[in-house]
Amino acid sequence: MSPLQPNRFDLEIAEQGSKISGALHMLRSQQYPPDARKGLRRFQIGEVADFMGVTQSHLRQLHAEGKGPEVETVGGRRYYTADQMLELREFLEANKKSDKRYYLPKRRAGEQMQVVSVVNFKGGSGKTTTAAHLAQYLALTGHRVLAVDLDPQASLTSLFGIQPELDETSSLYEAIRFDDEKKSIAEVIQPTNIPGLDVVPANLVLQEYEYDVPLAISSRKDDEGRLFHMRIVNALKAVDDRYDVVVIDCPPQLGYLTITALMASTGILITIHPQMLDIMSMSQFLMMLGGILTPVAEAGAEIRIEWFRYLVTRFEPTDIPQAQMVGFMQSMFAQHMLRNHILKSTAISDASIKKQTLYEVERGDFVRSTYDRAIESLNAANGEIMDLIHSAWGRK
Ligand SMILES: Nc1ncnc2c1ncn2[C@@H]1O[C@H](COP(=O)(O)OP(=O)(O)O)[C@@H](O)[C@H]1O
Ligand SMILES: [Mg+2]
């Protein structure tokens, strides 16, 4: 189109949007072909011991005694698949000597399904990265996990290897819409490459919910509109017996999707990149959030939240202003900050280009110290969150 057509900014901007989208599509399909299906690497004995909470010598002992799954050995090293880790858990659970130990952490009678939302209205604060690694970590440590991508931009969906532009995907919208087309959430769940982890993908249609809610509030004669905040709680009831934990990746805005997710949550993670501007924006987010939740709570809605925590992400310990910002947050909210921070690492950003997390990439593809530092920070933060979930179940 000629750039000289006056006053047709509308056409020009739409054309540029579609041009960028086409070019990006090409670039992405080179890096992650449309027909690519994710596999999963095997895990070394040290990783398996960490995930299972046992010692390496315990694992070697079992192997020497011919117990547990028969694992592949390459160059004297043993490699376990994620399925074999689960098998081993079941073996250890069935043969345990102490009632105080649990090798299968799944929830038991009387323990509620936990719903953890990752929020902040700042894009780039590490929500999707946090949600993806947390959901995978919880699955690899033996929990039954459902990840829900609630961001119409679908970053979590594509990180999990589903391409909403190419694959026919439905989103949570189908399970929370107000009309007769509403389906069960069970119909929009897809498996992932990690055993124990399923996902509800996102797509642009989710955005409709932001328009549907005010319309339903003003026009419906029943209470469905006024009770919009129950829609995710109610949708999840259909799969309550299938999962221990639901992890929701929220969109970077404080709209009805985020509010509905928060009202379904038992735990909230607020991701923060420790820089002055990000913290200022977060303080506005918190004030707005309080302002929105208060009337909902005062109207008698049940608040399920058992804990909320700030999680420092993309942290660079040698960056003095960042360290000061973390100190500043800690001085105010020590009890509400996770002790462990997720470090900024090229391992994390490089892996994400290939639509992988650090639990999926091969350690050998990175500088070892870079990979190790990053994964240690992720495991430590995820372990803390797992402990909060277990405490909510009343376990020590
Ligand atoms: N700890 C980290 N180290 C390096 N890069 C990161 C880290 N966390 C996130 N990123 C990168 O920053 C970008 C934004 O992160 P993302 O998790 O998508 O944020 P959000 O979901 O809040 O918008 C992504 O490209 C991601 O790969
Ligand atoms: Mg995101």
Side-chain angles (χ1 to χ4, degrees):
M1 176 176 136
S2 132
L4 290 174
Q5 247 189 7
N7 303 329
R8 290 321 304 266
F9 177 69
D10 55 335
L11 296 181
E12 210 167 326
I13 204 161
E15 187 183 287
Q16 293 190 357
S18 100
K19 204 166 166 180
I20 294 171
S21 158
L24 278 180
H25 202 100
M26 290 255 301
L27 203 69
R28 283 172 60 181
S29 55
Q30 282 161 10
Q31 263 147 7
Y32 188 83
D35 56 353
R37 284 290 168 265
K38 281 191 161 199
L40 186 61
R41 67 178 170 99
R42 284 155 199 267
F43 296 89
Q44 293 183 18
I45 192 162
E47 295 175 287
V48 176
D50 283 348
F51 283 134
M52 312 240 327
V54 298
T55 60
Q56 292 192 34
S57 56
H58 189 175
L59 293 176
R60 286 203 191 87
Q61 178 76 32
L62 287 172
H63 190 78
E65 292 169 11
K67 293 175 180 161
E70 198 161 308
V71 303
E72 189 190 12
T73 311
V74 183
R77 284 168 182 263
R78 278 190 284 283
Y79 290 87
Y80 296 70
T81 64
D83 281 315
Q84 286 172 333
M85 278 201 279
L86 279 178
E87 226 178 288
L88 199 53
R89 275 181 197 285
E90 272 152 25
F91 174 83
L92 289 170
E93 182 68 27
N95 294 284
K96 69 180 181 182
K97 296 197 180 70
S98 156
D99 277 348
K100 292 204 185 76
R101 263 312 297 256
Y102 290 101
Y103 295 97
L104 275 173
K106 293 173 187 169
R107 76 187 156 111
R108 299 185 283 274
E111 297 174 343
Q112 301 296 313
M113 181 165 77
Q114 297 295 300
V115 181
V116 180
S117 285
V118 185
V119 288
N120 194 331
F121 71 178
K122 185 101 185 167
S125 63
K127 287 182 291 299
T128 300
T129 306
T130 299
H133 286 86
L134 174 62
Q136 291 187 343
Y137 175 89
L138 289 171
L140 290 169
T141 49
H143 304 81
R144 301 169 303 163
V145 185
L146 178 65
V148 177
D149 188 354
L150 210 56
D151 184 351
Q153 298 190 48
S155 325
L156 184 81
T157 303
S158 70
L159 191 56
F160 281 175
I162 299 168
Q163 309 193 62
E165 325 86 86
L166 306 172
D167 306 333
E168 278 283 319
T169 57
S170 299
S171 69
L172 190 71
Y173 181 71
E174 305 307 326
I176 57 175
R177 58 194 295 165
F178 287 87
D179 58 16
D180 296 340
E181 312 264 297
K182 183 154 92 74
K183 295 181 188 149
S184 163
I185 188 174
E187 291 184 52
V188 295
I189 290 175
Q190 296 194 25
T192 72
N193 57 332
I194 311 261
L197 174 60
D198 292 340
V199 62
V200 175
N203 57 31
L204 281 174
V205 180
L206 266 175
Q207 193 64 30
E208 297 290 318
Y209 187 73
E210 302 294 343
Y211 308 105
D212 291 354
V213 172
L215 202 65
I217 293 174
S218 65
S219 68
R220 284 183 74 118
K221 301 223 165 39
D222 56 21
D223 264 347
E224 293 283 297
R226 199 177 56 79
L227 295 177
F228 75 89
H229 57 265
M230 294 298 291
R231 296 192 90 70
I232 295 181
V233 177
N234 289 337
L236 287 174
K237 280 182 187 155
V239 290
D240 189 273
D241 56 348
R242 280 173 58 182
Y243 301 103
D244 304 309
V245 187
V246 178
V247 176
I248 306 183
D249 184 23
C250 289
Q253 63 200 28
L254 196 47
Y256 290 111
L257 284 169
T258 303
I259 295 165
T260 310
L262 291 174
M263 296 305 289
S265 301
T266 55
I268 296 178
L269 278 175
I270 301 170
T271 49
I272 30 170
H273 180 48
Q275 278 182 347
M276 180 71 88
L277 286 176
D278 298 69
I279 293 188
M280 274 172 64
S281 132
M282 185 187 71
S283 74
Q284 287 164 349
F285 171 78
L286 294 176
M287 289 189 286
M288 281 172 62
L289 184 59
I292 291 168
L293 292 182
T294 303
V296 183
E298 282 171 357
E302 183 197 347
I303 306 268
R304 289 150 215 274
I305 298 166
E306 307 224 15
W307 54 266
F308 79 90
R309 290 290 185 279
Y310 298 99
L311 169 59
V312 173
T313 59
R314 281 165 55 211
F315 181 50
E316 296 165 275
T318 53
D319 179 323
I320 294 179
Q322 276 197 28
Q324 283 172 340
M325 278 295 129
V326 171
F328 170 78
M329 288 291 295
Q330 237 142 13
S331 66
M332 289 187 294
F333 308 119
Q335 290 107 333
H336 286 110
M337 297 213 18
L338 289 185
R339 271 176 289 112
N340 295 284
H341 312 320
I342 296 180
L343 297 181
K344 178 174 179 174
S345 170
T346 50
I348 296 177
S349 43
D350 287 357
S352 81
I353 294 172
K354 293 192 193 130
K355 298 196 198 298
Q356 287 186 318
T357 68
L358 285 204
Y359 296 121
E360 298 179 85
V361 294
E362 298 281 353
R363 180 175 179 238
D365 292 349
F366 294 84
V367 176
R368 289 219 158 161
S369 55
T370 307
Y371 177 87
D372 288 349
R373 263 200 307 270
I375 196 125
E376 272 162 25
S377 79
L378 282 159
N379 284 341
N382 286 334
E384 262 188 88
I385 300 163
M386 180 174 75
D387 288 346
L388 287 167
I389 289 168
H390 291 180
S391 312
W393 285 333
R395 306 183 196 174
K396 205 186 72 68

